[in-house]
Amino acid sequence: FQGCSTLKTVTINTKVTSIEAVAFAGSGLTSFTFPLNSEKVKVDGKDKTIDMPNKIATIGDNAFQGTKLASIELPGALTTLGANAFEGCPALKEVTFAFSGWKDNDKYDTKLDNAVTSIGNAAFMTCPSLTSVKLPVNALTTLGDDVFNGCNSLASITSKTATPPAVPSTLGVMSNGNLVIKVPSAEAVAAYQAATGWSTYSASITK
């Protein structure tokens, strides 16, 4: 679907497990939905229908580069978001990560955080409308270089992990003087302020 300028809306099949590199790059996409999977389970001997996350585990390099998406909720099973995946999306304002499943307590009443471990280089570079990003809580260990470079409207990055996700060199240049990077504790503030990539924005880091 690369370069399909008239393509506006896609709802992905629940059986799809990956989106390949440049799959929708340069298309006219304004809406992309990762539907949940409905499953029947037993809770206290009674049938219950629950929503389970989409099974997509990988989004390839440049997959949505240059599209017209205004927001995106990434699927819960996602583990790898490729380099430049959403680079140059001028309308993209908000990025969130869906839940990855349910706590195995036979109640299905506690959602588990997204499974993504790695976000590639320049994944959101030059998204001038991007104002808010909430990073996954538990699994994320690596953010690529220049991941937010040129995101000059970015006002809020929320990271709920006490240990800063590793950044090889730099998060990129973000010129919004009101940028706030929210972390979970005073100890985490100190850790982020000392970490490579994060330290450039030490004055913006708060709990």
Side-chain angles (χ1 to χ4, degrees):
F1 302 101
Q2 182 183 6
C4 294
S5 59
T6 58
L7 181 66
K8 302 297 182 184
T9 302
V10 171
T11 299
I12 205 75
N13 190 291
T14 56
K15 295 181 180 180
V16 175
T17 58
S18 68
I19 295 177
E20 299 301 315
V22 303
F24 298 95
S27 70
L29 270 180
T30 58
S31 174
F32 195 95
T33 303
F34 299 95
L36 298 174
N37 299 311
S38 294
E39 294 186 11
K40 289 186 177 181
V41 296
K42 290 283 187 181
V43 177
D44 294 331
K46 298 179 180 179
D47 289 331
K48 179 179 179 179
T49 300
I50 61 170
D51 288 328
M52 295 295 289
N54 193 282
K55 296 178 181 179
I56 289 175
T58 303
I59 294 177
D61 295 351
N62 308 87
F64 294 95
Q65 183 178 10
T67 59
K68 298 178 181 179
L69 292 168
S71 64
I72 191 75
E73 183 180 59
L74 295 169
L78 185 70
T79 58
T80 302
L81 180 62
N84 307 88
F86 292 92
E87 180 189 353
C89 294
L92 188 64
K93 293 182 178 180
E94 185 178 19
V95 176
T96 55
F97 294 82
F99 74 105
S100 63
W102 297 87
K103 186 176 180 180
D104 188 12
N105 59 358
D106 297 326
K107 296 291 185 182
Y108 300 94
D109 57 1
T110 303
K111 289 182 177 180
L112 301 176
D113 191 62
N114 189 278
V116 68
T117 60
S118 174
I119 296 177
N121 293 343
F124 300 102
M125 187 169 77
T126 321
C127 291
S129 299
L130 188 62
T131 60
S132 174
V133 175
K134 294 180 180 179
L135 298 174
V137 177
N138 296 316
L140 183 64
T141 58
T142 305
L143 280 175
D145 275 337
D146 293 317
V147 64
F148 299 121
N149 190 47
C151 296
N152 295 328
S153 296
L154 191 56
S156 175
I157 300 172
T158 301
S159 180
K160 295 184 179 180
T161 56
T163 301
V167 178
S169 179
T170 176
L171 292 171
V173 176
M174 298 172 280
S175 62
N176 188 342
N178 296 317
L179 173 65
V180 174
I181 299 174
K182 300 175 184 178
V183 299
S185 66
E187 292 79 7
V189 169
Y192 277 74
Q193 288 177 332
T196 300
W198 298 96
S199 61
T200 303
Y201 297 96
S202 59
S204 299
I205 299 172
T206 185
K207 67 181 182 65

